[in-house]
Amino acid sequence: MAREQAVKARNDRNGALVEAMLLAAMADGRVTQREMQTLLSRVLERPEFEGTRPDELNALVETSAARLSEARNLEDVLASLRRRLPDHKNRMLAFGLAAAVALADQRATRDELGLLKTFQAALGISEDEVAQIIDVIENGGSLAEALGEPLERLFAEVMVLVSAADGKLQEAEARALVESFAADPLFENVSPERAQSFVSEAVSALAAEGLPQRLHVLAHGLTTHAQRVKAFRLATKIAHAGGSPSHPEQRILDMLQATFGLADDEVARLGREG
């Protein structure tokens, strides 16, 4: 049941992202080949769509186009997008994908710019966030540059993966986790409320996307050796908190070691420190 809900959430989110891009492409009354190429290339670069087969992607685009054609008005569409994109990061992503399509022809029309302003207001995107996203797009960058996870968020997620190694994270465990890393100097600039949001976001992402995808995100977000060692040290600390790591916890540590490319002697040293 939980897996079915996670799959549905993923499909709903991805459908909303595609609809945002299609709306941008159709804003001026015509859809150019360049806009559709941009839509497909942006989809292929995003981890949210990883594992989607070409036929599934075609079906998703067709379903999204049909949904838009049946909508009574733009407000209904925007309400549907908000419902299927409940967190700010995904709303920023939807805006970024729409902006990439609108700017695909190097110059957005008045209608396209108007739609982007409507998206901004409806999805709660700040002026600074808009400026950052547009700057990345105009310079040919990946949206990952504008949507990058805070390092503290990724460090917190590593600890969540170990804590949830047995397949679940109870509310009491989540509170204990927040308290444990809030005291760490790494998180000195993170408020308890923000720490709690990091944990909640990590749990939701794990449920919606699965462990392999989250390891992929961590590998792309923690790029330096120092960051990876720091993350693995935090994971080891959580795994050893109650004594020796359980079998599921050790499995997560082994997967993190492989993901981060850490040597056995380095891992052994971190284990002794933990």
Side-chain angles (χ1 to χ4, degrees), residues 151-165 168-169 173-174 176-184 186-187 195 198-199 202-203 206 218 222 230-239 241 249 252-253 256 260:
L151 284 179
E152 294 91 346
R153 161 70 173 77
L154 296 176
F155 289 143
E157 178 159 3
V158 168
M159 292 188 286
V160 166
L161 293 183
V162 177
S163 298
K168 56 185 177 181
L169 180 65
E173 293 177 313
L177 181 60
V178 170
E179 293 171 359
S180 68
F181 76 65
D184 193 298
L186 286 172
F187 303 95
F198 285 162
V199 172
V203 171
L206 179 60
L218 290 171
L222 300 170
K230 188 178 296 184
F232 194 85
R233 179 181 289 113
L234 289 168
T236 301
K237 182 178 179 181
I238 293 295
E249 289 171 338
I252 296 296
L253 290 178
L256 287 171
F260 293 154

mmCIF file of all heavy atoms in Angstrom, residues 151-165 168-169 173-174 176-184 186-187 195 198-199 202-203 206 218 222 230-239 241 249 252-253 256 260:
data_model
loop_
_atom_site.group_PDB
_atom_site.id
_atom_site.type_symbol
_atom_site.label_atom_id
_atom_site.label_comp_id
_atom_site.label_asym_id
_atom_site.label_seq_id
_atom_site.Cartn_x
_atom_site.Cartn_y
_atom_site.Cartn_z
ATOM 1 N N LEU A 151 23.866 21.672 1.746
ATOM 2 C CA LEU A 151 24.694 20.563 2.217
ATOM 3 C C LEU A 151 24.137 19.978 3.510
ATOM 4 O O LEU A 151 24.146 18.765 3.713
ATOM 5 C CB LEU A 151 26.130 21.038 2.426
ATOM 6 C CG LEU A 151 26.965 21.238 1.156
ATOM 7 C CD1 LEU A 151 28.352 21.739 1.526
ATOM 8 C CD2 LEU A 151 27.061 19.940 0.361
ATOM 9 N N GLU A 152 23.644 20.858 4.406
ATOM 10 C CA GLU A 152 23.099 20.369 5.671
ATOM 11 C C GLU A 152 21.929 19.420 5.438
ATOM 12 O O GLU A 152 21.753 18.452 6.170
ATOM 13 C CB GLU A 152 22.651 21.546 6.549
ATOM 14 C CG GLU A 152 23.772 22.455 7.021
ATOM 15 C CD GLU A 152 24.022 23.592 6.063
ATOM 16 O OE1 GLU A 152 23.511 23.531 4.921
ATOM 17 O OE2 GLU A 152 24.728 24.536 6.444
ATOM 18 N N ARG A 153 21.148 19.702 4.419
ATOM 19 C CA ARG A 153 19.998 18.849 4.075
ATOM 20 C C ARG A 153 20.480 17.466 3.638
ATOM 21 O O ARG A 153 19.913 16.436 4.024
ATOM 22 C CB ARG A 153 19.182 19.534 2.979
ATOM 23 C CG ARG A 153 18.244 18.642 2.185
ATOM 24 C CD ARG A 153 17.071 18.166 3.010
ATOM 25 N NE ARG A 153 16.131 17.462 2.189
ATOM 26 C CZ ARG A 153 16.295 16.206 1.751
ATOM 27 N NH1 ARG A 153 17.369 15.532 2.071
ATOM 28 N NH2 ARG A 153 15.382 15.639 0.998
ATOM 29 N N LEU A 154 21.550 17.427 2.852
ATOM 30 C CA LEU A 154 22.081 16.153 2.386
ATOM 31 C C LEU A 154 22.736 15.375 3.525
ATOM 32 O O LEU A 154 22.607 14.154 3.610
ATOM 33 C CB LEU A 154 23.081 16.391 1.252
ATOM 34 C CG LEU A 154 22.492 17.020 -0.016
ATOM 35 C CD1 LEU A 154 23.591 17.298 -1.026
ATOM 36 C CD2 LEU A 154 21.430 16.118 -0.632
ATOM 37 N N PHE A 155 23.441 16.094 4.403
ATOM 38 C CA PHE A 155 24.036 15.431 5.563
ATOM 39 C C PHE A 155 22.943 14.820 6.444
ATOM 40 O O PHE A 155 23.080 13.706 6.955
ATOM 41 C CB PHE A 155 24.866 16.415 6.381
ATOM 42 C CG PHE A 155 26.148 16.846 5.715
ATOM 43 C CD1 PHE A 155 26.607 18.148 5.833
ATOM 44 C CD2 PHE A 155 26.907 15.952 4.982
ATOM 45 C CE1 PHE A 155 27.791 18.547 5.230
ATOM 46 C CE2 PHE A 155 28.095 16.335 4.374
ATOM 47 C CZ PHE A 155 28.539 17.632 4.498
ATOM 48 N N ALA A 156 21.853 15.570 6.616
ATOM 49 C CA ALA A 156 20.736 15.063 7.413
ATOM 50 C C ALA A 156 20.127 13.830 6.758
ATOM 51 O O ALA A 156 19.764 12.863 7.439
ATOM 52 C CB ALA A 156 19.675 16.154 7.583
ATOM 53 N N GLU A 157 20.033 13.837 5.440
ATOM 54 C CA GLU A 157 19.426 12.699 4.753
ATOM 55 C C GLU A 157 20.248 11.429 4.934
ATOM 56 O O GLU A 157 19.689 10.335 5.062
ATOM 57 C CB GLU A 157 19.261 12.993 3.261
ATOM 58 C CG GLU A 157 18.674 11.816 2.508
ATOM 59 C CD GLU A 157 18.020 12.186 1.188
ATOM 60 O OE1 GLU A 157 18.059 13.361 0.808
ATOM 61 O OE2 GLU A 157 17.464 11.285 0.549
ATOM 62 N N VAL A 158 21.569 11.564 4.944
ATOM 63 C CA VAL A 158 22.414 10.396 5.166
ATOM 64 C C VAL A 158 22.065 9.740 6.502
ATOM 65 O O VAL A 158 21.969 8.510 6.615
ATOM 66 C CB VAL A 158 23.907 10.792 5.135
ATOM 67 C CG1 VAL A 158 24.783 9.669 5.659
ATOM 68 C CG2 VAL A 158 24.324 11.150 3.718
ATOM 69 N N MET A 159 21.853 10.565 7.527
ATOM 70 C CA MET A 159 21.502 10.024 8.839
ATOM 71 C C MET A 159 20.105 9.415 8.835
ATOM 72 O O MET A 159 19.857 8.406 9.498
ATOM 73 C CB MET A 159 21.625 11.128 9.897
ATOM 74 C CG MET A 159 23.062 11.567 10.129
ATOM 75 S SD MET A 159 23.235 12.681 11.533
ATOM 76 C CE MET A 159 22.541 14.178 10.854
ATOM 77 N N VAL A 160 19.207 10.008 8.091
ATOM 78 C CA VAL A 160 17.853 9.460 7.992
ATOM 79 C C VAL A 160 17.891 8.078 7.340
ATOM 80 O O VAL A 160 17.186 7.158 7.771
ATOM 81 C CB VAL A 160 16.941 10.410 7.185
ATOM 82 C CG1 VAL A 160 15.636 9.703 6.789
ATOM 83 C CG2 VAL A 160 16.613 11.648 8.004
ATOM 84 N N LEU A 161 18.711 7.910 6.313
ATOM 85 C CA LEU A 161 18.800 6.619 5.633
ATOM 86 C C LEU A 161 19.214 5.513 6.597
ATOM 87 O O LEU A 161 18.681 4.400 6.551
ATOM 88 C CB LEU A 161 19.796 6.691 4.475
ATOM 89 C CG LEU A 161 19.412 7.578 3.289
ATOM 90 C CD1 LEU A 161 20.463 7.473 2.194
ATOM 91 C CD2 LEU A 161 18.050 7.212 2.744
ATOM 92 N N VAL A 162 20.158 5.836 7.485
ATOM 93 C CA VAL A 162 20.595 4.836 8.458
ATOM 94 C C VAL A 162 19.495 4.603 9.494
ATOM 95 O O VAL A 162 19.203 3.463 9.862
ATOM 96 C CB VAL A 162 21.898 5.277 9.148
ATOM 97 C CG1 VAL A 162 22.322 4.257 10.215
ATOM 98 C CG2 VAL A 162 23.007 5.437 8.114
ATOM 99 N N SER A 163 18.885 5.668 9.971
ATOM 100 C CA SER A 163 17.830 5.538 10.979
ATOM 101 C C SER A 163 16.640 4.747 10.462
ATOM 102 O O SER A 163 15.965 4.055 11.219
ATOM 103 C CB SER A 163 17.358 6.931 11.426
ATOM 104 O OG SER A 163 18.405 7.652 12.023
ATOM 105 N N ALA A 164 16.371 4.889 9.153
ATOM 106 C CA ALA A 164 15.223 4.199 8.551
ATOM 107 C C ALA A 164 15.626 2.888 7.898
ATOM 108 O O ALA A 164 14.881 2.347 7.074
ATOM 109 C CB ALA A 164 14.559 5.111 7.529
ATOM 110 N N ALA A 165 16.786 2.360 8.282
ATOM 111 C CA ALA A 165 17.311 1.149 7.635
ATOM 112 C C ALA A 165 16.374 -0.042 7.779
ATOM 113 O O ALA A 165 16.359 -0.934 6.928
ATOM 114 C CB ALA A 165 18.687 0.806 8.203
ATOM 115 N N LYS A 168 11.371 1.866 8.399
ATOM 116 C CA LYS A 168 10.439 2.854 8.942
ATOM 117 C C LYS A 168 11.174 3.790 9.892
ATOM 118 O O LYS A 168 12.208 3.455 10.455
ATOM 119 C CB LYS A 168 9.283 2.169 9.674
ATOM 120 C CG LYS A 168 9.741 1.233 10.795
ATOM 121 C CD LYS A 168 8.568 0.480 11.413
ATOM 122 C CE LYS A 168 9.049 -0.499 12.477
ATOM 123 N NZ LYS A 168 7.938 -1.258 13.074
ATOM 124 N N LEU A 169 10.630 4.976 10.047
ATOM 125 C CA LEU A 169 11.184 5.963 10.969
ATOM 126 C C LEU A 169 10.028 6.512 11.793
ATOM 127 O O LEU A 169 9.187 7.255 11.290
ATOM 128 C CB LEU A 169 11.883 7.101 10.212
ATOM 129 C CG LEU A 169 12.513 8.205 11.054
ATOM 130 C CD1 LEU A 169 13.663 7.646 11.883
ATOM 131 C CD2 LEU A 169 13.012 9.347 10.183
ATOM 132 N N GLU A 173 11.614 8.654 16.821
ATOM 133 C CA GLU A 173 12.963 8.522 16.273
ATOM 134 C C GLU A 173 13.364 9.776 15.512
ATOM 135 O O GLU A 173 14.513 10.220 15.580
ATOM 136 C CB GLU A 173 13.034 7.304 15.357
ATOM 137 C CG GLU A 173 12.877 5.969 16.066
ATOM 138 C CD GLU A 173 12.885 4.805 15.099
ATOM 139 O OE1 GLU A 173 12.177 4.893 14.077
ATOM 140 O OE2 GLU A 173 13.585 3.821 15.364
ATOM 141 N N ALA A 174 12.397 10.337 14.798
ATOM 142 C CA ALA A 174 12.681 11.558 14.046
ATOM 143 C C ALA A 174 13.057 12.696 14.981
ATOM 144 O O ALA A 174 13.992 13.463 14.717
ATOM 145 C CB ALA A 174 11.465 11.946 13.196
ATOM 146 N N ALA A 176 14.338 12.414 17.981
ATOM 147 C CA ALA A 176 15.654 12.110 18.549
ATOM 148 C C ALA A 176 16.756 12.417 17.552
ATOM 149 O O ALA A 176 17.826 12.909 17.925
ATOM 150 C CB ALA A 176 15.707 10.649 18.968
ATOM 151 N N LEU A 177 16.490 12.140 16.290
ATOM 152 C CA LEU A 177 17.473 12.423 15.255
ATOM 153 C C LEU A 177 17.725 13.914 15.144
ATOM 154 O O LEU A 177 18.874 14.365 15.049
ATOM 155 C CB LEU A 177 16.984 11.861 13.917
ATOM 156 C CG LEU A 177 17.899 12.049 12.709
ATOM 157 C CD1 LEU A 177 19.246 11.382 12.962
ATOM 158 C CD2 LEU A 177 17.247 11.461 11.470
ATOM 159 N N VAL A 178 16.653 14.696 15.167
ATOM 160 C CA VAL A 178 16.798 16.149 15.109
ATOM 161 C C VAL A 178 17.647 16.646 16.268
ATOM 162 O O VAL A 178 18.559 17.459 16.089
ATOM 163 C CB VAL A 178 15.416 16.841 15.126
ATOM 164 C CG1 VAL A 178 15.573 18.344 15.306
ATOM 165 C CG2 VAL A 178 14.659 16.541 13.848
ATOM 166 N N GLU A 179 17.357 16.155 17.454
ATOM 167 C CA GLU A 179 18.101 16.595 18.635
ATOM 168 C C GLU A 179 19.569 16.206 18.551
ATOM 169 O O GLU A 179 20.449 16.967 18.941
ATOM 170 C CB GLU A 179 17.467 15.989 19.889
ATOM 171 C CG GLU A 179 16.070 16.525 20.188
ATOM 172 C CD GLU A 179 15.369 15.752 21.299
ATOM 173 O OE1 GLU A 179 15.977 14.788 21.817
ATOM 174 O OE2 GLU A 179 14.216 16.095 21.629
ATOM 175 N N SER A 180 19.842 15.018 17.993
ATOM 176 C CA SER A 180 21.221 14.545 17.945
ATOM 177 C C SER A 180 22.062 15.353 16.976
ATOM 178 O O SER A 180 23.205 15.688 17.281
ATOM 179 C CB SER A 180 21.257 13.058 17.556
ATOM 180 O OG SER A 180 20.834 12.875 16.224
ATOM 181 N N PHE A 181 21.508 15.684 15.782
ATOM 182 C CA PHE A 181 22.371 16.417 14.864
ATOM 183 C C PHE A 181 22.280 17.927 15.046
ATOM 184 O O PHE A 181 23.137 18.669 14.586
ATOM 185 C CB PHE A 181 22.167 16.000 13.407
ATOM 186 C CG PHE A 181 20.931 16.505 12.714
ATOM 187 C CD1 PHE A 181 20.725 17.849 12.478
ATOM 188 C CD2 PHE A 181 19.988 15.606 12.243
ATOM 189 C CE1 PHE A 181 19.610 18.296 11.802
ATOM 190 C CE2 PHE A 181 18.867 16.054 11.564
ATOM 191 C CZ PHE A 181 18.676 17.405 11.348
ATOM 192 N N ALA A 182 21.255 18.402 15.766
ATOM 193 C CA ALA A 182 21.171 19.838 16.032
ATOM 194 C C ALA A 182 22.326 20.286 16.919
ATOM 195 O O ALA A 182 22.736 21.451 16.890
ATOM 196 C CB ALA A 182 19.839 20.176 16.677
ATOM 197 N N ALA A 183 22.849 19.352 17.714
ATOM 198 C CA ALA A 183 23.955 19.685 18.609
ATOM 199 C C ALA A 183 25.305 19.602 17.911
ATOM 200 O O ALA A 183 26.320 20.032 18.463
ATOM 201 C CB ALA A 183 23.947 18.737 19.809
ATOM 202 N N ASP A 184 25.330 19.072 16.696
ATOM 203 C CA ASP A 184 26.588 18.928 15.965
ATOM 204 C C ASP A 184 27.004 20.288 15.386
ATOM 205 O O ASP A 184 26.170 21.017 14.853
ATOM 206 C CB ASP A 184 26.393 17.916 14.829
ATOM 207 C CG ASP A 184 27.710 17.476 14.219
ATOM 208 O OD1 ASP A 184 28.413 18.337 13.668
ATOM 209 O OD2 ASP A 184 28.028 16.283 14.302
ATOM 210 N N LEU A 186 28.302 21.013 12.738
ATOM 211 C CA LEU A 186 27.974 21.110 11.313
ATOM 212 C C LEU A 186 26.660 21.845 11.081
ATOM 213 O O LEU A 186 26.457 22.464 10.038
ATOM 214 C CB LEU A 186 27.863 19.703 10.707
ATOM 215 C CG LEU A 186 29.154 18.930 10.464
ATOM 216 C CD1 LEU A 186 28.828 17.511 10.058
ATOM 217 C CD2 LEU A 186 29.986 19.614 9.403
ATOM 218 N N PHE A 187 25.760 21.765 12.075
ATOM 219 C CA PHE A 187 24.415 22.313 11.910
ATOM 220 C C PHE A 187 24.176 23.532 12.802
ATOM 221 O O PHE A 187 23.032 23.845 13.127
ATOM 222 C CB PHE A 187 23.371 21.236 12.228
ATOM 223 C CG PHE A 187 23.511 20.000 11.388
ATOM 224 C CD1 PHE A 187 24.221 18.903 11.855
ATOM 225 C CD2 PHE A 187 22.953 19.929 10.129
ATOM 226 C CE1 PHE A 187 24.366 17.763 11.097
ATOM 227 C CE2 PHE A 187 23.093 18.787 9.352
ATOM 228 C CZ PHE A 187 23.805 17.705 9.831
ATOM 229 N N ALA A 195 15.798 22.019 10.944
ATOM 230 C CA ALA A 195 16.302 20.659 11.097
ATOM 231 C C ALA A 195 15.164 19.652 10.949
ATOM 232 O O ALA A 195 15.300 18.620 10.284
ATOM 233 C CB ALA A 195 16.988 20.507 12.451
ATOM 234 N N PHE A 198 14.270 19.273 7.373
ATOM 235 C CA PHE A 198 15.233 18.437 6.658
ATOM 236 C C PHE A 198 14.888 16.962 6.826
ATOM 237 O O PHE A 198 14.920 16.189 5.876
ATOM 238 C CB PHE A 198 16.653 18.684 7.190
ATOM 239 C CG PHE A 198 17.281 19.976 6.738
ATOM 240 C CD1 PHE A 198 18.366 20.492 7.422
ATOM 241 C CD2 PHE A 198 16.814 20.651 5.632
ATOM 242 C CE1 PHE A 198 18.967 21.679 7.012
ATOM 243 C CE2 PHE A 198 17.394 21.837 5.204
ATOM 244 C CZ PHE A 198 18.479 22.351 5.905
ATOM 245 N N VAL A 199 14.579 16.574 8.056
ATOM 246 C CA VAL A 199 14.248 15.183 8.339
ATOM 247 C C VAL A 199 12.961 14.792 7.610
ATOM 248 O O VAL A 199 12.887 13.737 6.960
ATOM 249 C CB VAL A 199 14.104 14.951 9.856
ATOM 250 C CG1 VAL A 199 13.567 13.547 10.127
ATOM 251 C CG2 VAL A 199 15.441 15.136 10.552
ATOM 252 N N ALA A 202 13.536 14.448 3.911
ATOM 253 C CA ALA A 202 14.317 13.250 3.593
ATOM 254 C C ALA A 202 13.449 12.002 3.666
ATOM 255 O O ALA A 202 13.546 11.115 2.809
ATOM 256 C CB ALA A 202 15.504 13.129 4.546
ATOM 257 N N VAL A 203 12.590 11.925 4.682
ATOM 258 C CA VAL A 203 11.694 10.776 4.820
ATOM 259 C C VAL A 203 10.726 10.714 3.636
ATOM 260 O O VAL A 203 10.489 9.645 3.058
ATOM 261 C CB VAL A 203 10.919 10.848 6.150
ATOM 262 C CG1 VAL A 203 9.838 9.778 6.210
ATOM 263 C CG2 VAL A 203 11.873 10.698 7.335
ATOM 264 N N LEU A 206 12.562 9.642 0.450
ATOM 265 C CA LEU A 206 12.884 8.212 0.482
ATOM 266 C C LEU A 206 11.652 7.375 0.157
ATOM 267 O O LEU A 206 11.725 6.399 -0.609
ATOM 268 C CB LEU A 206 13.441 7.835 1.852
ATOM 269 C CG LEU A 206 13.810 6.363 2.068
ATOM 270 C CD1 LEU A 206 14.885 5.930 1.082
ATOM 271 C CD2 LEU A 206 14.277 6.139 3.507
ATOM 272 N N LEU A 218 22.407 11.881 -3.556
ATOM 273 C CA LEU A 218 23.505 12.156 -2.625
ATOM 274 C C LEU A 218 24.839 12.162 -3.347
ATOM 275 O O LEU A 218 25.707 13.007 -3.081
ATOM 276 C CB LEU A 218 23.519 11.107 -1.504
ATOM 277 C CG LEU A 218 22.371 11.176 -0.492
ATOM 278 C CD1 LEU A 218 22.399 9.961 0.425
ATOM 279 C CD2 LEU A 218 22.447 12.460 0.333
ATOM 280 N N LEU A 222 26.874 15.598 -3.021
ATOM 281 C CA LEU A 222 28.087 15.604 -2.200
ATOM 282 C C LEU A 222 29.247 15.218 -3.118
ATOM 283 O O LEU A 222 29.538 14.039 -3.311
ATOM 284 C CB LEU A 222 27.952 14.629 -1.030
ATOM 285 C CG LEU A 222 26.787 14.928 -0.064
ATOM 286 C CD1 LEU A 222 26.594 13.779 0.922
ATOM 287 C CD2 LEU A 222 27.030 16.244 0.683
ATOM 288 N N LYS A 230 32.627 13.394 5.557
ATOM 289 C CA LYS A 230 31.821 14.004 6.617
ATOM 290 C C LYS A 230 30.452 13.326 6.700
ATOM 291 O O LYS A 230 29.963 13.009 7.789
ATOM 292 C CB LYS A 230 31.669 15.500 6.328
ATOM 293 C CG LYS A 230 31.024 16.299 7.442
ATOM 294 C CD LYS A 230 30.971 17.788 7.063
ATOM 295 C CE LYS A 230 32.356 18.387 6.914
ATOM 296 N NZ LYS A 230 32.314 19.843 6.654
ATOM 297 N N ALA A 231 29.833 13.091 5.542
ATOM 298 C CA ALA A 231 28.524 12.443 5.514
ATOM 299 C C ALA A 231 28.607 11.020 6.055
ATOM 300 O O ALA A 231 27.754 10.583 6.836
ATOM 301 C CB ALA A 231 27.980 12.429 4.083
ATOM 302 N N PHE A 232 29.641 10.297 5.658
ATOM 303 C CA PHE A 232 29.768 8.915 6.119
ATOM 304 C C PHE A 232 30.043 8.873 7.617
ATOM 305 O O PHE A 232 29.569 7.967 8.317
ATOM 306 C CB PHE A 232 30.884 8.197 5.363
ATOM 307 C CG PHE A 232 30.856 6.707 5.539
ATOM 308 C CD1 PHE A 232 30.056 5.914 4.735
ATOM 309 C CD2 PHE A 232 31.615 6.094 6.530
ATOM 310 C CE1 PHE A 232 30.005 4.538 4.901
ATOM 311 C CE2 PHE A 232 31.573 4.719 6.713
ATOM 312 C CZ PHE A 232 30.761 3.938 5.890
ATOM 313 N N ARG A 233 30.784 9.848 8.127
ATOM 314 C CA ARG A 233 31.044 9.901 9.574
ATOM 315 C C ARG A 233 29.729 10.078 10.337
ATOM 316 O O ARG A 233 29.504 9.439 11.371
ATOM 317 C CB ARG A 233 32.001 11.042 9.893
ATOM 318 C CG ARG A 233 32.302 11.172 11.403
ATOM 319 C CD ARG A 233 33.236 12.323 11.703
ATOM 320 N NE ARG A 233 34.595 12.043 11.254
ATOM 321 C CZ ARG A 233 35.217 12.695 10.269
ATOM 322 N NH1 ARG A 233 34.577 13.646 9.606
ATOM 323 N NH2 ARG A 233 36.450 12.397 9.940
ATOM 324 N N LEU A 234 28.852 10.941 9.840
ATOM 325 C CA LEU A 234 27.551 11.150 10.479
ATOM 326 C C LEU A 234 26.716 9.867 10.441
ATOM 327 O O LEU A 234 26.068 9.502 11.422
ATOM 328 C CB LEU A 234 26.799 12.280 9.778
ATOM 329 C CG LEU A 234 27.350 13.692 9.994
ATOM 330 C CD1 LEU A 234 26.695 14.665 9.029
ATOM 331 C CD2 LEU A 234 27.149 14.145 11.428
ATOM 332 N N ALA A 235 26.739 9.186 9.294
ATOM 333 C CA ALA A 235 25.992 7.937 9.175
ATOM 334 C C ALA A 235 26.522 6.891 10.148
ATOM 335 O O ALA A 235 25.745 6.165 10.790
ATOM 336 C CB ALA A 235 26.091 7.415 7.737
ATOM 337 N N THR A 236 27.829 6.823 10.259
ATOM 338 C CA THR A 236 28.453 5.864 11.180
ATOM 339 C C THR A 236 28.082 6.162 12.623
ATOM 340 O O THR A 236 27.810 5.257 13.421
ATOM 341 C CB THR A 236 29.983 5.900 11.017
ATOM 342 O OG1 THR A 236 30.323 5.571 9.664
ATOM 343 C CG2 THR A 236 30.652 4.912 11.954
ATOM 344 N N LYS A 237 28.034 7.449 12.954
ATOM 345 C CA LYS A 237 27.674 7.854 14.310
ATOM 346 C C LYS A 237 26.266 7.386 14.661
ATOM 347 O O LYS A 237 26.022 6.874 15.764
ATOM 348 C CB LYS A 237 27.766 9.381 14.431
ATOM 349 C CG LYS A 237 27.453 9.927 15.809
ATOM 350 C CD LYS A 237 27.616 11.444 15.820
ATOM 351 C CE LYS A 237 27.272 12.021 17.186
ATOM 352 N NZ LYS A 237 27.413 13.511 17.199
ATOM 353 N N ILE A 238 25.333 7.536 13.723
ATOM 354 C CA ILE A 238 23.959 7.086 13.949
ATOM 355 C C ILE A 238 23.916 5.565 14.071
ATOM 356 O O ILE A 238 23.246 5.006 14.957
ATOM 357 C CB ILE A 238 23.045 7.541 12.802
ATOM 358 C CG1 ILE A 238 22.895 9.078 12.809
ATOM 359 C CG2 ILE A 238 21.666 6.895 12.908
ATOM 360 C CD1 ILE A 238 22.199 9.636 14.013
ATOM 361 N N ALA A 239 24.652 4.871 13.191
ATOM 362 C CA ALA A 239 24.632 3.406 13.196
ATOM 363 C C ALA A 239 25.187 2.827 14.488
ATOM 364 O O ALA A 239 24.757 1.763 14.943
ATOM 365 C CB ALA A 239 25.416 2.879 12.000
ATOM 366 N N ALA A 241 25.078 4.392 17.433
ATOM 367 C CA ALA A 241 24.471 5.046 18.593
ATOM 368 C C ALA A 241 23.961 4.042 19.622
ATOM 369 O O ALA A 241 24.041 4.287 20.829
ATOM 370 C CB ALA A 241 23.331 5.960 18.151
ATOM 371 N N GLU A 249 21.397 -1.634 9.095
ATOM 372 C CA GLU A 249 22.224 -0.427 9.183
ATOM 373 C C GLU A 249 23.565 -0.642 8.492
ATOM 374 O O GLU A 249 24.048 0.243 7.777
ATOM 375 C CB GLU A 249 22.432 -0.036 10.647
ATOM 376 C CG GLU A 249 21.181 0.505 11.323
ATOM 377 C CD GLU A 249 21.362 0.683 12.825
ATOM 378 O OE1 GLU A 249 22.262 0.033 13.410
ATOM 379 O OE2 GLU A 249 20.592 1.462 13.417
ATOM 380 N N ILE A 252 23.199 -0.341 4.792
ATOM 381 C CA ILE A 252 23.159 1.042 4.331
ATOM 382 C C ILE A 252 24.566 1.645 4.327
ATOM 383 O O ILE A 252 24.954 2.346 3.382
ATOM 384 C CB ILE A 252 22.219 1.894 5.217
ATOM 385 C CG1 ILE A 252 20.776 1.402 5.100
ATOM 386 C CG2 ILE A 252 22.310 3.368 4.831
ATOM 387 C CD1 ILE A 252 20.187 1.547 3.714
ATOM 388 N N LEU A 253 25.339 1.359 5.370
ATOM 389 C CA LEU A 253 26.714 1.867 5.412
ATOM 390 C C LEU A 253 27.527 1.338 4.230
ATOM 391 O O LEU A 253 28.311 2.083 3.618
ATOM 392 C CB LEU A 253 27.382 1.473 6.733
ATOM 393 C CG LEU A 253 26.865 2.163 7.998
ATOM 394 C CD1 LEU A 253 27.603 1.625 9.224
ATOM 395 C CD2 LEU A 253 27.030 3.677 7.907
ATOM 396 N N LEU A 256 26.473 3.236 1.177
ATOM 397 C CA LEU A 256 27.014 4.595 1.195
ATOM 398 C C LEU A 256 28.505 4.582 0.849
ATOM 399 O O LEU A 256 28.991 5.459 0.120
ATOM 400 C CB LEU A 256 26.801 5.235 2.571
ATOM 401 C CG LEU A 256 25.359 5.643 2.905
ATOM 402 C CD1 LEU A 256 25.252 6.066 4.371
ATOM 403 C CD2 LEU A 256 24.897 6.781 1.998
ATOM 404 N N PHE A 260 29.914 6.622 -2.312
ATOM 405 C CA PHE A 260 30.878 7.707 -2.131
ATOM 406 C C PHE A 260 32.292 7.338 -2.551
ATOM 407 O O PHE A 260 33.184 8.191 -2.560
ATOM 408 C CB PHE A 260 30.892 8.156 -0.666
ATOM 409 C CG PHE A 260 29.614 8.811 -0.207
ATOM 410 C CD1 PHE A 260 29.250 8.795 1.139
ATOM 411 C CD2 PHE A 260 28.776 9.443 -1.105
ATOM 412 C CE1 PHE A 260 28.077 9.401 1.570
ATOM 413 C CE2 PHE A 260 27.594 10.055 -0.684
ATOM 414 C CZ PHE A 260 27.252 10.032 0.656
#
